[in-house]
Amino acid sequence: MIKAKHLSKQFGDLTVLNDVSLQIKKGEIVAIVGASGAGKTTLLQILGTLDTPLKNATAELLIDETDVLKLKDKELAVFRNKKLGFIFQFHQLLPEFSALENVCIPAYIANRNKSEAEKEAKELLAYLGLSHRINHFPSEMSGGEQQRVAVARALINKPAVIFADEPSGNLDTQSAENLHDLFFQLRDKFGQTFVIVTHNEELANLADRKLVMSDGKFL
Ligand SMILES: Nc1ncnc2c1ncn2[C@@H]1O[C@H](COP(=O)(O)OP(=O)(O)OP(=O)(O)O)[C@@H](O)[C@H]1O
Ligand SMILES: [Mg+2]
């Protein structure tokens, strides 16, 4: 599903990512852990095409068989919208839109039929136990509820991969556990692939693979 080779990144003369390679299979849940500043977010942003690696002859990033380093900006935006889902520590829902609208936005951007998108968004929200919250605004939901809306938003276009950066970092223990269970359910039911940066030991140990980063490399 993901084949990354020789990814590096520098900020000025600081090397933040140092020749990282990895492969991730469909349906795998991979956890990336490591100390603060190790380069986890930088790697996730590059894998998620939100940032670019150092251009060199050997750098390679294939996602779902697409060579994303070769895509132009517009093609990349379309690819990201259709193929990738994102969940961040702070849900980043749009405050002036309801739960249902937030979930539908990536589908609208993909020019999908409005009523179909809404129907699917409602089904997803129901699956995530949020049927009673579809017309609530983010400020009217708990942290765990907001994060589940963010999960539904990440899922709406049936992405090949979901990238999550500290998805439970802002949640209480119970909500975090529920969110983690949900990731595994989505994997078991739909074969959803996840790459998750986390400081949560429990989640990292449940993952199919735990990759430890230190100084811009895997240990
Ligand atoms: N835009 C930037 N400009 C300069 N330095 C940056 C930039 N982004 C990140 N860095 C540096 O790169 C290093 C790695 O940052 P990164 O955010 O990837 O760490 P992290 O492993 O996600 O840490 P944390 O667990 O605290 O989120 C840090 O030393 C950081 O200061
Ligand atoms: Mg980080």
Side-chain angles (χ1 to χ4, degrees), residues 40-41 165 197:
K40 306 181 297 296
T41 293
D165 196 349
V197 167

Side-chain angles (χ1 to χ4, degrees), residues 11 14 16 35-42 199:
F11 291 112
L14 182 72
V16 175
S36 180
K40 306 181 297 296
T41 293
T42 305
H199 284 289

Side-chain angles (χ1 to χ4, degrees), residues 113-128:
N113 175 282
K114 187 164 186 279
S115 59
E116 228 170 76
E118 273 182 19
K119 182 170 170 278
E120 217 171 283
K122 282 180 186 163
E123 284 168 7
L124 272 173
L125 287 164
Y127 179 72
L128 302 180

